[in-house]
Amino acid sequence: MAKREVKNIDGFEKELLSETERVELFISKYWVKVAVAAVIVVLAGVGIYAAVKHSSDRKIEIQQKFVSAEADELAKLIAANTSVTGVDLARFRLAGMMVEKKDLAGAADQLKAVYDNPEADVILRQCAAFEMSGILEQSGKAADAARIMSAVADDTAFSAGVKLHAGCQAARMMLSVKDINGAREMLKRMVARKGLVTDDYTFPAWMSQCEQMLAAIENGDFAVNAAGKKADAKK
């Protein structure tokens, strides 16, 4: 019987990329999100200006600079004013600037600060987590990216569909670094949520994706041998 072709998830056998290639791949893959984030920042700027009348003169000045400052000044403003309204959006703005300068580590740090802030808007925390994991993965740190997604998968602040999406992404990232057992366990936990009652319309689609990935793993499509190479799929 002919051997079935072993599946490949998002560059499982892709050669290691140079730092410049990773940055270019990240920008090409996430340019829509970057553009959307830019629009969000502009709209947030309008909101900041509308709310400044409720703040002190000093806070007004800081909030205005959150919207207009260049990267170096913005980084200093953020570091010195972490509790000022608008700082989380300013971190997104700075992260975008850092990506343009190919400082992916710095961008990931800014996004992590948003995700780690329990007072931040839940949508901002969600966006920060997914964008941060994408940056880490494209920087060659898929295992770290998977840990971020694993945390999101169990974060009670997020909807059922978002958590399932994160679990699916975590498993995919684990597979990319040949952590087959980790991916299997993650997917089993996600599939165990199948009976959950939720009005999140994305839940069924991500559940189906998790089930398909788990079935492929159980079928041996991602098996690796002792040398760390993918073994032939089961006949």
Side-chain angles (χ1 to χ4, degrees):
M1 183 179 295
K3 295 180 180 178
R4 182 170 54 258
E5 181 182 355
V6 178
K7 294 184 179 180
N8 170 32
I9 285 188
D10 201 22
F12 187 79
E13 297 185 69
K14 182 171 57 183
E15 294 182 356
L16 292 177
L17 300 175
S18 69
E19 185 65 22
T20 298
E21 289 171 329
R22 287 183 185 130
V23 172
E24 291 174 346
L25 178 59
F26 171 79
I27 292 175
S28 66
K29 186 176 180 181
Y30 292 92
W31 71 269
V32 173
K33 293 182 179 179
V34 172
V36 171
V39 172
I40 291 174
V41 169
V42 171
L43 293 176
V46 173
I48 288 174
Y49 279 111
V52 294
K53 63 182 179 181
H54 301 296
S55 305
S56 67
D57 289 343
R58 175 55 181 159
K59 285 186 177 180
I60 291 174
E61 181 183 355
I62 293 170
Q63 290 167 331
Q64 289 174 337
K65 287 184 177 180
F66 277 164
V67 178
S68 62
E70 295 301 322
D72 290 343
E73 181 184 6
L74 184 56
K76 293 176 182 178
L77 280 169
I78 290 171
N81 300 281
T82 56
S83 63
V84 174
T85 300
V87 69
D88 293 313
L89 285 164
R91 288 188 186 280
F92 265 94
R93 182 167 176 258
L94 180 58
M97 294 176 177
M98 289 176 164
V99 168
E100 290 180 356
K101 293 182 177 180
K102 302 180 181 181
D103 180 7
L104 299 189
D109 286 343
Q110 291 301 320
L111 295 170
K112 183 176 187 302
V114 177
Y115 175 68
D116 288 344
N117 179 11
E119 302 301 320
D121 181 84
V122 66
I123 298 300
L124 288 182
R125 291 189 65 236
Q126 174 184 320
C127 291
F130 279 91
E131 291 300 328
M132 172 174 45
S133 68
I135 287 174
L136 289 171
E137 184 177 21
Q138 297 307 324
S139 299
K141 300 178 180 179
D144 291 339
R147 281 190 283 273
I148 296 296
M149 289 290 93
S150 296
V152 173
D154 292 319
D155 195 321
T156 57
F158 302 130
S159 71
V162 168
K163 291 189 287 186
L164 206 60
H165 180 187
C168 187
Q169 292 300 313
R172 179 187 61 76
M173 292 167 179
M174 291 173 185
L175 288 174
S176 75
V177 293
K178 302 181 178 65
D179 182 5
I180 311 301
N181 290 332
R184 178 188 290 111
E185 293 307 309
M186 172 58 69
L187 291 169
K188 283 183 176 180
R189 289 203 299 113
M190 297 300 102
V191 171
R193 301 177 184 181
K194 188 170 185 178
L196 183 66
V197 177
T198 175
D199 59 359
D200 190 328
Y201 70 94
T202 67
F203 187 85
W206 287 115
M207 177 57 70
S208 176
Q209 185 72 20
C210 287
E211 289 175 329
Q212 290 178 37
M213 289 177 66
L214 180 59
I217 290 174
E218 299 293 17
N219 201 38
D221 291 346
F222 300 104
V224 295
N225 59 27
K229 297 180 179 180
K230 286 196 296 185
D232 292 332
K234 295 178 181 179
K235 294 182 179 180

